[in-house]
Amino acid sequence: MTSDIHRAVDAVWRIESARIIAGLTRMVRDVGLAEELAQDALVEALERWPSAGIPDNPGAWLMATAKRRAIDRFRRLKVLERKYDELGRELESQVEPEYDDQISDDLLRLIFTACHPVLSPEARVSLTLRLLGGLTTDEIARAFLVPEPTVAQRIVRAKRTLSAAQVPFEVPEGAELTGRLTSVLEVIYLIFNEGYSATAGSLWLRPDLCQDALRLGRILAELAPGEPEVHGLVALMELQASRLRARVDPKGAPILLPDQNRALWDHLLIRRGLAALARARRLGQALGPYCLQAAIAACHARARTAAETDWSSIAALYDALAQLTQSPVVELNRAVALSMAFGPAVGLELIDLLTKEPALREYHLLPSVRGDLLEKLGRLGEARAEYERAATLARNERERDLLRQKAARC
Amino acid sequence: MRFMMIVKASTDSETGVMPSQEMIDAMMRYNEELVKSGVLIAGEGLHPSSNAIRISYPVPGGKPKVTDGPFAETKELIAGFWIIQVKSREEAIEWAMRAPDPHGGGQGQIELRQIFETEELTDNPESIAQENALRAQLEKQQQKQ
């Protein structure tokens, strides 16, 4: 019975925690303190709800409890400092907002705070999952295969950094918005990608992380509906997630796009992805990097068989993306698309230029793609060497196995 | 995990009586909350069974039988559904509890059914064993520190 309640409280927490922490941060002006107060309220819920039952509106109960604790704390502190006295009185006079624009504004502010550039990328990821995703430190540690104390420390330090830097609880405006939004989108996509092709460990996929990232993205799309790149990112994640089931064989080994059984693709997610991309396009701005990547994913999603893929459109989209990002990894993908559209020799020409690129020196996909093109051109000895080099560079065990198999068949 | 929240049919939904404005507003608010929370994957309302077609297989290996609606057993029919993506069974229940009574008049009923996921993604025994070994190794390293 107690564990039933415990799990029910967990579920309430998952749904409500971000809104509660966001509302409290606005009131107490410190995200670390806000989270502490929300946690205190959760502990109180775990003590009371087993006997009293779960209240009709558990979110409001948690919020009221946390707020009362904030007032108590400020009363105790007011003898020490005048500003706490003011804060305490302000809190008491504040009327609770309904689920409305105020809560949406607070949530958006919380996202921008958790993804603030003063924090390291790892800290942004941990704090976002913790504050917005409602994950426990242990869940975050498991997802990223790092010890729990490391994550706990990251979060404590991140909160301290935000406090010390006096990061205001606000949504950035004007010129600042673009850069700050980029950071938010990066954090969400980083979480998704860690789930989609885990960089370390024996599992190629961590679907739970993909789901966490998707949920964050979908929430953000409702909070900032006028930002095409937000919809672009959501579209990209929905379309990539639609292939999750087709991406591993029964033994957990990866299956790459051309070999996937398209009947296993999740057509509900494809529909959602295409709708999100259409939503981005309706905003009428030039397509940014996430929209372009989503448009590429959409070309794959629309092809009923691998042979039907519109590779020349994909090559054109990669060209646009390469101009925006100047990224050698994008150039590598463009080379793949060109080889599919116009033959392996065309792709190889571009790849050979990329082998001089210092940023790709340790990147396993460069020799992997080069090996593939050489194999198609019948240059098997060279292909084998490239596959073997790729295998030594790959960090994921499953991927390494696949590359060794390819080397063996040349 | 995904759940389908199935709204069972009622006498009103089966006879095509339109829901009250109050009910429509409550449903809109609920849908909006599901969307804003990032859990709604899909949701649809269905025509009454007078519009339905049933295909049954009374004789094994024989030709299927096609029957036009309406169908009598109102309580067994469905009037609509949502598909939600959640973290736990309890979260699904919590969301379902927040839905408005879909019909009123004592006939409202929502049924939660979990949707099958591809097994390989979540509980492939070999992957899980490897994962656990890795975790044990990690904990050992941690203790040494």
Side-chain angles (χ1 to χ4, degrees), chain A residues 377-390:
Chain A
L377 289 167
R379 292 155 65 176
L380 296 184
E382 291 166 85
R384 188 185 326 118
E386 287 291 38
Y387 283 137
E388 274 161 7
R389 209 163 77 78

Side-chain angles (χ1 to χ4, degrees), chain A residues 131-204:
Chain A
L131 299 180
L132 278 316
L135 269 70
T136 63
T137 319
D138 181 51
E139 284 170 321
I140 300 168
R142 279 167 174 274
F144 286 90
L145 288 175
V146 289
E148 205 208 328
T150 309
V151 174
Q153 225 168 27
R154 252 179 222 166
I155 290 172
V156 169
R157 264 196 232 126
K159 288 185 206 160
R160 238 183 260 149
T161 307
L162 289 173
S163 225
Q166 295 186 312
V167 167
F169 189 57
E170 62 183 21
V171 173
E173 282 175 4
E176 206 199 340
L177 177 65
T178 319
R180 293 282 304 278
L181 187 63
T182 304
S183 171
V184 171
L185 299 177
E186 263 170 20
V187 168
I188 296 176
Y189 197 41
L190 208 67
I191 296 169
F192 183 86
N193 265 325
E194 189 55 31
Y196 197 63
S197 45
T199 49
S202 60
L203 283 184
W204 157 257

Side-chain angles (χ1 to χ4, degrees), chain A residues 13-222:
Chain A
W13 182 252
R14 181 89 56 194
I15 296 170
E16 303 287 352
S17 62
R19 298 175 197 172
I20 294 169
I21 294 167
L24 286 168
T25 310
R26 174 175 39 82
M27 294 173 196
V28 304
R29 295 163 203 180
D30 182 291
V31 69
L33 175 59
E35 205 226 355
E36 222 175 279
L37 291 164
Q39 288 285 346
D40 288 349
L42 177 68
V43 170
E44 201 171 319
L46 283 168
E47 284 164 10
R48 291 204 182 180
W49 293 0
S51 55
I54 295 178
D56 287 342
N57 189 339
W61 189 99
L62 286 167
M63 188 66 181
T65 306
K67 208 177 129 182
R68 204 183 56 241
R69 285 184 173 248
I71 293 168
D72 287 350
R73 192 182 290 225
F74 287 141
R75 277 211 191 107
R76 261 181 279 136
L77 286 171
K78 83 174 177 189
V79 280
L80 300 172
E81 265 190 72
R82 210 188 166 81
K83 77 166 189 185
Y84 290 118
D85 188 24
E86 283 165 27
L87 267 177
R89 261 184 284 130
E90 260 176 53
L91 263 177
E92 277 176 282
S93 60
Q94 260 168 17
V95 182
E96 255 350 281
E98 291 287 306
Y99 189 81
D100 60 2
D101 292 348
Q102 176 72 67
I103 293 179
S104 298
D105 290 351
D106 289 344
L107 267 178
L108 195 54
R109 290 188 187 114
L110 188 64
I111 293 178
F112 276 105
T113 306
C115 299
H116 198 280
V118 348
L119 304 171
S120 70
E122 295 83 11
R124 288 178 220 173
V125 164
S126 298
L127 205 58
T128 301
L129 284 172
R130 168 92 183 186
L131 299 180
L132 278 316
L135 269 70
T136 63
T137 319
D138 181 51
E139 284 170 321
I140 300 168
R142 279 167 174 274
F144 286 90
L145 288 175
V146 289
E148 205 208 328
T150 309
V151 174
Q153 225 168 27
R154 252 179 222 166
I155 290 172
V156 169
R157 264 196 232 126
K159 288 185 206 160
R160 238 183 260 149
T161 307
L162 289 173
S163 225
Q166 295 186 312
V167 167
F169 189 57
E170 62 183 21
V171 173
E173 282 175 4
E176 206 199 340
L177 177 65
T178 319
R180 293 282 304 278
L181 187 63
T182 304
S183 171
V184 171
L185 299 177
E186 263 170 20
V187 168
I188 296 176
Y189 197 41
L190 208 67
I191 296 169
F192 183 86
N193 265 325
E194 189 55 31
Y196 197 63
S197 45
T199 49
S202 60
L203 283 184
W204 157 257
L205 298 174
R206 296 172 197 285
D208 281 357
L209 269 183
C210 292
Q211 295 304 345
D212 285 323
L214 260 170
R215 185 151 163 173
L216 289 169
R218 289 171 186 148
I219 291 171
L220 185 62
E222 296 310 308

Side-chain angles (χ1 to χ4, degrees), chain A residues 212-291:
Chain A
D212 285 323
L214 260 170
R215 185 151 163 173
L216 289 169
R218 289 171 186 148
I219 291 171
L220 185 62
E222 296 310 308
L223 294 175
E227 294 294 336
E229 279 290 86
V230 174
H231 300 300
L233 172 63
V234 172
L236 179 61
M237 294 192 296
E238 303 268 17
L239 290 168
Q240 289 186 328
S242 75
R243 299 181 213 138
L244 274 171
R245 300 191 270 214
R247 231 170 156 246
V248 278
D249 73 9
K251 291 200 155 171
I255 304 175
L256 301 180
L257 189 61
D259 307 319
Q260 286 172 10
N261 176 357
R262 294 177 185 228
L264 289 177
W265 286 2
D266 186 331
H267 291 272
L268 197 52
L269 292 189
I270 289 177
R271 206 178 72 183
R272 292 183 60 88
L274 296 178
L277 183 58
R279 207 172 162 191
R281 282 201 160 115
R282 273 200 302 277
L283 291 168
Q285 296 172 26
L287 297 188
Y290 289 107
C291 287

Side-chain angles (χ1 to χ4, degrees), chain A residues 16 206 212 215 250 272, chain B residues 41 87 91 98 124 131:
Chain A
E16 303 287 352
R206 296 172 197 285
D212 285 323
R215 185 151 163 173
R272 292 183 60 88
Chain B
I41 303 288
K87 277 267 178 178
E91 193 189 343
R98 292 175 184 213
N124 172 266
E131 203 69 0

Side-chain angles (χ1 to χ4, degrees), chain A residues 204 332 360-370 386-387 389-396 399-400 403:
Chain A
W204 157 257
L332 178 61
L360 294 180
R361 199 172 296 146
E362 302 290 312
Y363 192 53
H364 67 285
L365 286 182
L366 179 63
S368 164
V369 168
R370 194 157 184 275
E386 287 291 38
Y387 283 137
R389 209 163 77 78
T392 57
L393 292 174
R395 285 172 62 204
N396 184 289
E399 222 173 347
R400 212 153 40 213
L403 287 162

